[in-house]
Amino acid sequence: MQRTQRLLLARLAGANPTSVFLLTLVVVLVAFFTPGVIGGLLTLALAGVLTTLLVTTWAVQAPQTRLIRLVMLTLLVTVGLAKLL
């Protein structure tokens, strides 16, 4: 693991879970309800952030959790691409 990844994980571990949830909820709602290209780009940006977290935490997740996360990520990317078209 690189030094910058450890710093990012340390900052994420210290974040307030409620604040992170509410911020993510706001971004998702804005992305879903914003029409057109902007909503699609926000959705794909969110998918990119979640992909980074998925890759970083892959080794410590149970197989069932991995599957659920992959399905949700696939749905998010699908929605983002559909909004772009």
Side-chain angles (χ1 to χ4, degrees), residues 54-72:
L54 178 69
V55 168
T56 304
T57 61
W58 186 264
V60 296
Q61 297 299 322
Q64 299 87 359
T65 306
R66 292 176 185 171
L67 179 63
I68 292 170
R69 289 183 178 193
L70 284 175
V71 168
M72 295 306 294

Side-chain angles (χ1 to χ4, degrees), residues 27-44 79-85:
V27 171
V28 167
L29 290 175
V30 167
F32 282 172
F33 290 113
T34 302
V37 176
I38 295 173
L41 291 175
L42 281 173
T43 305
L44 291 175
V79 168
L81 291 175
K83 287 184 74 86
L84 283 175
L85 300 176

Side-chain angles (χ1 to χ4, degrees), residues 5-16:
Q5 286 179 325
R6 282 183 268 150
L7 292 175
L8 174 65
L9 293 177
R11 289 185 69 189
L12 287 175
N16 183 356

